Amino acid sequence: MGFEKGASLLEDLIEKAGGCAVMDGGFATQLESHGASINDPLWSALCLIKDPHLIKQVHLEYLEAGADILVTSSYQATIPGFLSRGLSLEEGESLLKKSVKLAVEARDKFWDRVGCVPGNSYNRALVAASIGSYGAYLADGSEYSGCYGPGVNLDKLKDFHRRRLQVIVEAGPDLLAFETIPNKLEAQACVELLEEENIQIPSWICFSSVDGENAPSGESFEECFEILNKSKKVNAVGINCASPHFIESLVCKFKELTTKAIVVYPNSGAIWDGRAKKWLPSMCFGDEEFELCAPRWRNQGAKVIGGCCRTTPSTIRAISKALKETS
């Protein structure tokens, strides 16, 4: 797939969806609802080893709910992480490819069933391969602080991401989704890798935010977007796994900082304690709030809207319904 063709693929989907495409929602949340045990450094990627059938089931549930984009189960799937579990390099790379394969198979199975039905309300979904931040691999909550320590420099981050990026691209996703990036340094590493590896499919880079104003590192989004805006390999930018209370102001801010498409997929508003490995009580959005806010986020400039942690297929159904009814 050439770069221009890939870029138009995303643009065409957004246009077919009425100007704003719908992503899927929380993956680990839904796996747990089906009985998966993922209290593990590999998190939802553990199911690539133990319960791959559940991964495909969750993908299908989000497609039924109206998702135009599926994100793969590879957020915390890394080669070092798999090696630490005693798997070989070949086994780890095979599991990365499997994450893409399961999503593609689910998409194709679903589309084979509904695509030929006259008047169906679905679009043929795109598969976005998830590439979680270095902090996600560390599993210590540092993707929400951006504090990787003095030993982590640009080269180390590129070395960490490089082989995973190569393997995932070989597996044939439609898009790449760099997620919960917490600082300018890792954003730069991702951009430089896309250039160095001459990646020929479109990508987005999404930051997290804990204060609704800046990246978790405390760096301004003006600083973080500087390198992204210069790259033709980055087609969209945005925010994920931040509180939905922040999204309205962040979309307005991002519109001032970039001409790239804006992607938003907040969590439910629950706060994750990365060290204690538990969710903390907080003011959460329910499906009704997402249904109310999604059209506002779209009208302010968001081109892709979905959910992250603690959102479910019912959340995505509410978002899809609201966007269709107000388009």
Side-chain angles (χ1 to χ4, degrees), residues 21-35:
V22 177
M23 274 183 59
D24 59 10
F27 210 86
T29 305
Q30 197 63 9
L31 286 171
E32 288 179 316
S33 76
H34 292 302

Side-chain angles (χ1 to χ4, degrees), residues 243-245 267-271 279-290 309-310:
S243 169
H245 300 89
N267 56 38
S268 68
I271 299 171
W279 292 99
L280 304 177
S282 57
M283 293 287 290
C284 293
F285 267 34
D287 294 347
E288 300 81 7
E289 286 86 358
F290 276 100
C309 297
R310 312 289 273 188

Side-chain angles (χ1 to χ4, degrees), residues 112-159:
D112 285 346
R113 177 163 60 85
V114 306
C116 58
V117 177
N120 82 82
S121 61
Y122 296 101
N123 296 305
R124 184 177 183 274
L126 300 182
V127 171
S130 172
I131 300 175
S133 63
Y134 181 66
Y137 155 68
L138 296 177
D140 61 359
S142 56
E143 69 265 48
Y144 301 110
S145 69
C147 298
Y148 289 163
V152 178
N153 57 24
L154 184 64
D155 287 339
K156 184 177 179 69
L157 288 171
K158 288 200 289 186
D159 288 345

Side-chain angles (χ1 to χ4, degrees), residues 38 70 77 80 167 183 190 237 260 276 303 323 325:
I38 55 175
L70 289 179
V167 172
N183 54 41
C190 295
V237 297
K260 295 183 185 294
K303 295 297 184 184
L323 294 177
E325 290 178 348

Side-chain angles (χ1 to χ4, degrees), residues 1 27 55-56 59-60 63 69-73 96-112 124-129 168-175:
M1 179 187 295
F27 210 86
I55 291 175
K56 190 180 286 190
H59 285 318
L60 287 167
L63 290 167
I69 299 174
L70 289 179
V71 179
T72 64
S73 53
L96 282 172
K97 291 179 180 178
K98 188 175 186 179
S99 70
V100 176
K101 182 172 181 282
L102 290 169
V104 169
E105 286 177 351
R107 186 267 311 279
D108 291 347
K109 177 180 180 180
F110 181 76
W111 191 244
D112 285 346
R124 184 177 183 274
L126 300 182
V127 171
I168 280 178
V169 168
E170 287 169 7
D174 301 304
L175 314 166

